[in-house]
């Protein structure tokens, strides 16, 4: 687990030009918390959890995320406005500026690794300007044993300087903040932003290149857990669709909540050593495991504290994206190590704010590929008064911002694995029911959980044998009944009580699907195209 005892090893960062810094190497989290509170504006909540403000940025900044274009990446990366090219010499200059900035400061350095499967382990050194960012790295990456540190050789380095501001004209950035991956030098360089998610998603993006290109492994933006029967379930979905919430299940051992690899031997392993959960409106009864994980060692981000130092989870005055990171061992039921096998069920989670997709449906292989490439969810338009129209949002492979390769590369690997393992694929709408956002309401978490349980334990199959209903618009197989879920909830049309409105809205959504998919049609087989909505 990586113990809390002090590490005596010292390291040098002279190779980086960092010669005059006090290097705080491998400090235990409690020590980092103490320093954060004493000198870096950290607060302690009523139960002793660290709470920090990440500053100007409370989320990732996808438009400021670059990849160095050079001989390693040139022909492989899918360049565009997701993977924005950065010149190698500009990178070298900027790196020097950042390390000069860090030189002379107190800095915080941690050796860690990614990938819980021994054969895929990636050693990482994280160099942070702030102690709480370094504590985040303790929580989110895997923790080497102290004995392992003696011979630890970092392969990738994360350099994280939130207080460093780039000068766009000189540095080649878009604005003062940046997150840049350099695959030749194996560096993730992050500056001008204190949002900790950039640290974990930097290494995730690196693995999304390394694993498929060099290790024949499919990287996935998903959560995963394993049942008592040994069957692994995988939950894909964009932000806010329920990966963390639904994988945290007292009856199933958690493998991980956000990033996994699927190997050629059909092992599913976590990249990370921790969880990063949304805490907006967190409810102790609805999500007790996550609630109870918020204890000393965890880091709350951008929350507001009450006068008695308890957390007001409803207060979104800093951001809607309030978060907590904690090491995975803050959850009771976890798989050790974080590796599962025998993937039996895949869930594509979508928060359909149009309220037209069935709450659960079963996909054919063609539909699965179509929906994976589409990566649909919906965003609810802000909180401004009067704005109630949902906006469809498509992100290929349910994680386009983190995928350096062309989406079809990942889709082909997933299709091959689906065929090889015969895994079931389900589309789950964790979004709206009874009407669109503004009219209907969010699907009850307990119903979504019941549907997922029924899909996994076979009772959905048993209850609907040869009795799925093919949805007249989306073409997906919709179960008629599900244990522990009221039958009318299963049909979105029935919940609307307005057939005309339902079909008009459904067709609005299929148009959005069609428009988005145009860019992929030239790569798609007839089987995949047959997986598109029927009324297209
Ligand atoms: P990210 O990629 O940003 O980490 P995520 O997919 O892990 O996102 P969650 O953190 O699980 O998303 O967020 C889902 C949110 O939606 C939680 O706040 C959860 O309480 C809420 N929610 C409400 N109803 C449901 C439902 N039916 N199913 C899942 N989540 C629900
Ligand atoms: Mn999550």
């Amino acid at each position: 687990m990586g113990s809390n005892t002090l590490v005596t090893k010292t390291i040098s960062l002279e190779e980086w030009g960092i010669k005059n810094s006090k290097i705080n190497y491998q400090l235990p989290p409690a020590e980092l918390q103490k320093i954060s509170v004493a000198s870096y504006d950290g607060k302690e909540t009523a139960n002793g959890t660290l709470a920090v403000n990440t500053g100007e940025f409370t989320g990732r900044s996808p438009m400021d995320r670059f990849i160095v274009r050079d001989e390693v990446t040139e022909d492989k990366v899918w360049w565009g406005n997701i993977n924005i090219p950065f010149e190698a010499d500009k990178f070298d200059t900027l790196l020097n500026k950042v390390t000069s900035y860090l030189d002379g400061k107190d800095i915080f350095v941690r050796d860690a690794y990614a990938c819980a499967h021994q054969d895929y382990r990636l050693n990482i050194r994280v160099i942070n300007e702030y102690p709480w960012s370094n504590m985040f790295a303790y929580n989110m990456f895997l923790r080497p044993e102290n004995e392992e540190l003696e011979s630890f050789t970092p392969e990738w380095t994360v350099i994280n300087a939130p207080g460093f501001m780039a000068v766009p004209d000189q540095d080649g950035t878009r604005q003062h903040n940046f997150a840049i991956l350099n695959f030749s030098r194996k560096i993730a360089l992050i500056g001008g932003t204190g949002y900790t998610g950039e640290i974990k998603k930097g290494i995730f993006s690196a693995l999304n290149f390394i694993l498929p290109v060099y290790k024949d492994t499919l990287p996935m933006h998903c959560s995963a857990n394993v049942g008592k029967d040994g069957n692994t379930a995988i939950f894909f979905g964009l932000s806010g669709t329920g990966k963390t919430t639904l994988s945290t299940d007292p009856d199933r051992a958690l493998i991980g909540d956000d990033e996994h690899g699927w190997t050629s031997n059909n092992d599913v392993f976590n990249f990370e050593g921790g969880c990063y959960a949304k805490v907006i409106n967190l409810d102790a009864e609805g999500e007790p495991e996550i609630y109870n994980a918020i204890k000393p060692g965890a880091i709350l981000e951008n929350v507001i504290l009450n006068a008695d130092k308890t957390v007001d989870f409803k207060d979104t005055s800093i951001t809607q994206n309030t978060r907590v990171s904690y090491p995975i061992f803050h959850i009771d039921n976890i798989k050790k190590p974080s590796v599962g096998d025998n993937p039996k069920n895949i869930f594509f989670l979508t928060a359909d704010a149009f309220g037209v997709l069935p709450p659960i449906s079963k996909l054919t292989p063609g539909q699965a590929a179509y929906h994976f490439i589409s990566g649909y969810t919906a965003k609810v338009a802000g909180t401004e008064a009067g704005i109630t129209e949902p906006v469809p949002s498509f992100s290929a492979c349910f994680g386009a911002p983190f995928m350096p390769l062309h989406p079809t590369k990942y889709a082909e690997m997933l299709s091959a694995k689906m065929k090889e393992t015969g895994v079931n694929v389900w589309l789950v709408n964790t979004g709206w029911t009874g009407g669109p956002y503004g009219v209907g309401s969010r699907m009850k978490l307990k119903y979504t959980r019941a549907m997922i349980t029924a899909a996994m334990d076979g009772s959905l199959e048993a209850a609907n044998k040869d009795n799925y209903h093919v949805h007249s618009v989306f073409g997906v197989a919709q179960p008629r009944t599900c244990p522990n879920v009221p039958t009318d909830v299963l049909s979105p049309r029935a919940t609307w009580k307005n057939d005309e409105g339902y079909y008009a809205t459904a067709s609005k959504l299929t148009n959005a699907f069609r428009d988005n998919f145009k860019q992929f049609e030239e790569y798609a087989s007839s089987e995949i195209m047959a997986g598109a909505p029927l009324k297209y």
Side-chain angles (χ1 to χ4, degrees):
M1 280 289 116
S3 85
N4 261 347
T5 56
L6 277 167
V7 170
T8 49
K9 180 181 169 178
T10 55
I11 56 154
S12 158
L13 296 178
E14 294 216 357
E15 59 177 307
W16 298 100
I18 298 176
K19 300 176 186 134
N20 306 302
S21 287
K22 179 179 174 221
I23 299 172
N24 295 281
Y25 176 66
Q26 216 74 4
L27 293 190
E31 188 67 24
L32 291 166
Q33 174 159 338
K34 216 187 283 171
I35 301 169
S36 300
V37 172
S39 316
Y40 292 83
D41 289 333
K43 305 268 180 302
E44 265 171 23
T45 70
N47 82 350
T49 304
L50 178 64
V52 300
N53 284 354
T54 60
E56 180 189 355
F57 292 92
T58 57
R60 286 178 308 99
S61 186
M63 292 200 290
D64 301 295
R65 184 261 199 195
F66 305 90
I67 296 179
V68 172
R69 186 173 194 152
D70 59 17
E71 62 281 6
V72 175
T73 54
E74 173 77 54
D75 300 334
K76 296 195 178 72
V77 168
W78 185 42
W79 301 106
N81 51 14
I82 291 173
N83 297 302
I84 309 165
F86 204 84
E87 285 172 36
D89 51 349
K90 286 265 182 214
F91 178 89
D92 295 345
T93 308
L94 183 56
L95 173 64
N96 283 339
K97 283 175 78 170
V98 173
T99 52
S100 309
Y101 167 84
L102 291 173
D103 192 22
K105 292 192 163 54
D106 269 24
I107 58 173
F108 303 86
V109 181
R110 173 166 303 283
D111 288 339
Y113 65 99
C115 301
H117 192 307
Q118 274 305 321
D119 300 350
Y120 300 84
R121 174 171 167 156
L122 181 79
N123 281 353
I124 303 166
R125 174 163 289 171
V126 190
I127 302 174
N128 299 108
E129 179 180 1
Y130 298 150
W132 45 265
S133 323
N134 196 249
M135 186 172 159
F136 176 86
Y138 173 89
N139 284 354
M140 296 307 300
F141 293 127
L142 288 147
R143 295 156 286 271
E145 298 294 339
N146 286 349
E147 309 83 75
E148 294 177 77
L149 292 176
E150 287 311 318
S151 57
F152 189 95
T153 323
E155 185 177 345
W156 270 73
T157 305
V158 179
I159 301 176
N160 170 239
F164 174 90
M165 302 293 153
V167 181
D169 286 350
Q170 292 165 18
D171 298 326
T173 56
R174 186 182 71 103
Q175 48 178 40
H176 58 279
N177 62 302
F178 52 89
I180 313 172
L181 288 178
N182 186 325
F183 283 92
S184 300
R185 299 189 64 183
K186 302 188 177 181
I187 298 168
L189 183 64
I190 302 162
T193 169
Y195 185 61
T196 54
E198 299 278 11
I199 298 172
K200 84 181 208 102
K201 285 300 202 295
I203 289 298
F204 182 46
S205 301
L207 286 165
N208 288 336
F209 181 90
I210 295 165
L211 292 176
V213 171
Y214 305 116
K215 307 252 175 168
D216 193 21
T217 288
L218 171 67
M220 306 177 287
H221 185 217
C222 70
S223 59
N225 62 22
V226 54
K228 294 185 184 79
D229 54 10
N231 296 340
T232 296
I234 294 170
F235 304 81
F236 284 96
L238 292 163
S239 187
T241 58
K243 291 184 300 301
T244 300
T245 300
L246 296 168
S247 60
T248 311
D249 177 340
D251 295 326
R252 299 178 59 86
L254 180 65
I255 299 174
D257 96 328
D258 200 48
E259 310 170 358
H260 293 81
W262 186 339
T263 72
S264 49
N265 295 327
N266 292 321
D267 288 328
V268 173
F269 66 86
N270 192 356
F271 294 170
E272 302 183 282
C275 307
Y276 193 41
K278 286 177 176 292
V279 295
I280 180 172
N281 297 324
L282 182 66
D283 161 38
E285 270 157 49
E287 300 182 57
E289 292 80 15
I290 293 174
Y291 188 89
N292 291 325
I294 306 176
K295 60 185 184 185
I299 310 172
L300 285 156
E301 294 179 7
N302 303 314
V303 295
I304 301 290
L305 303 188
N306 297 310
D308 64 359
K309 300 209 171 158
T310 55
V311 184
D312 183 354
F313 290 114
K314 293 195 167 48
D315 193 327
T316 56
S317 56
I318 299 179
T319 176
Q320 304 255 329
N321 188 31
T322 52
R323 291 269 178 174
V324 62
S325 70
Y326 46 83
I328 195 165
F329 56 77
H330 279 205
I331 298 290
D332 288 334
N333 192 5
I334 57 174
K335 176 74 173 53
K336 292 183 205 170
S338 304
V339 185
D341 56 14
N342 205 23
K344 269 276 172 345
N345 290 285
I346 294 177
F347 298 91
F348 292 160
L349 308 175
T350 176
D352 174 27
F354 292 94
V356 292
L357 282 174
I360 188 163
S361 55
K362 202 175 174 186
L363 305 186
T364 63
Q367 289 169 342
Y370 179 90
H371 282 278
F372 184 67
I373 295 170
S374 297
Y376 165 69
T377 193
K379 291 197 164 38
V380 287
T383 45
E384 287 162 61
I387 299 184
T388 53
E389 268 292 280
V391 182
S393 164
F394 294 92
S395 180
C397 312
F398 296 102
F402 323 115
M403 302 295 170
L405 308 181
H406 193 280
T408 52
K409 173 78 188 153
Y410 306 100
E412 279 162 14
M413 289 181 86
L414 183 66
S415 286
K417 296 205 168 298
M418 282 171 6
K419 290 205 172 99
E420 188 192 331
T421 58
V423 61
N424 294 312
V425 184
W426 311 87
L427 182 64
V428 174
N429 176 9
T430 65
W432 273 254
T433 177
Y437 173 78
V439 177
S441 55
R442 186 102 191 240
M443 184 66 58
K444 282 199 172 71
L445 183 51
K446 69 170 180 186
Y447 293 159
T448 301
R449 288 198 201 274
M451 289 181 241
I452 282 175
T453 301
M456 288 190 296
D457 71 13
S459 56
L460 195 58
E461 208 63 10
N464 293 279
K465 204 129 201 82
D466 308 317
N467 196 21
Y468 282 91
H469 170 82
V470 173
H471 194 281
S472 62
V473 177
F474 297 104
V476 296
Q478 191 182 321
R480 291 181 195 272
T481 61
C482 177
N484 303 314
V485 180
T487 296
D488 54 354
V489 171
L490 296 170
S491 162
R493 185 188 55 78
T495 67
W496 275 54
K497 301 188 172 65
N498 167 7
D499 281 13
E500 208 181 312
Y502 175 79
Y503 285 113
T505 307
S507 114
K508 214 189 270 180
L509 181 58
T510 58
N511 288 343
F513 265 103
R514 185 195 54 214
D515 293 347
N516 171 68
F517 208 84
K518 282 206 177 98
Q519 58 183 315
F520 302 118
E521 271 175 14
E522 61 176 302
Y523 307 96
S525 66
S526 55
E527 187 190 20
I528 296 176
M529 289 317 296
L534 299 177
K535 299 211 173 130
Y536 207 44

